[in-house]
Amino acid sequence: MKREKAQGIAAPQVGYNIQLVVIDTKESASIKSDSLVMINPRITKSSKAVVSLEEGCISFPEVFCKIQRPREIVIEAHDVDGKINVHRLGGRLARAAQHEMDHLKGVSFPEQADPESWKQVMPKLEALEKLYKEKRPDGAF
């Protein structure tokens, strides 16, 4: 996550089929640690106010598109000690948490793009797919 300068990462992105996300919180004044680890996270509340911003993802290098997401969310999740915590997140942290939690459901961010953004990113996605197939013709990771 640090090497890629990512705001977060989900376990499935690195080959683990578990419900775990890590969010970089270094810039947050309200969270004491450098990262927020959430196990079995669940959004329990979302604001009606939404924001449409450009997102990227380490799974899709150099691909960016606008995604609309709630501005604020409340998440219930276990920590590494098994304790259930409630996290009230807004702004960048809310967006990063939602993005990473999408990975837990098998949803990639381009799938949520508006139609115009989708059209713009398709050539890049096709080029990435071609590159992947050239490097891994067997389809293995």
Side-chain angles (χ1 to χ4, degrees), residues 32-131:
K32 295 175 181 122
S33 66
D34 284 351
S35 57
L36 176 59
V37 177
M38 296 185 287
I39 302 166
N40 295 326
R42 185 173 64 90
I43 296 175
T44 58
K45 190 173 184 182
S46 299
S47 66
K48 289 184 176 156
V50 295
V51 180
S52 184
L53 291 173
E54 196 169 76
E55 289 186 21
C57 182
I58 62 172
S59 296
F60 300 94
E62 303 304 316
V63 175
F64 302 93
C65 51
K66 280 195 171 186
I67 307 294
Q68 186 172 322
R69 297 192 186 274
R71 182 186 309 265
E72 298 173 338
I73 56 173
V74 176
I75 297 176
E76 238 180 54
H78 291 84
D79 63 17
V80 294
D81 297 318
K83 181 182 171 204
I84 296 177
N85 294 294
V86 175
H87 305 282
R88 294 178 196 329
L89 304 175
R92 183 188 69 80
L93 293 179
R95 179 166 292 275
Q98 291 171 86
H99 176 108
E100 299 311 331
M101 289 173 67
D102 284 346
H103 285 293
L104 301 180
K105 298 179 280 188
V107 176
S108 61
F109 83 102
E111 295 174 87
Q112 297 186 35
D114 62 64
E116 189 59 36
S117 289
W118 179 255
K119 275 197 277 186
Q120 291 175 354
V121 301
M122 273 311 293
K124 289 182 179 181
L125 292 173
E126 289 167 350
L128 280 173
E129 181 180 31
K130 181 180 177 190
L131 180 64

Side-chain angles (χ1 to χ4, degrees), residues 19-39:
Q19 297 287 299
L20 183 142
V21 299
V22 179
I23 307 298
D24 178 354
T25 58
K26 284 191 289 288
E27 296 175 15
S28 172
S30 62
I31 298 176
K32 295 175 181 122
S33 66
D34 284 351
S35 57
L36 176 59
V37 177
M38 296 185 287
I39 302 166

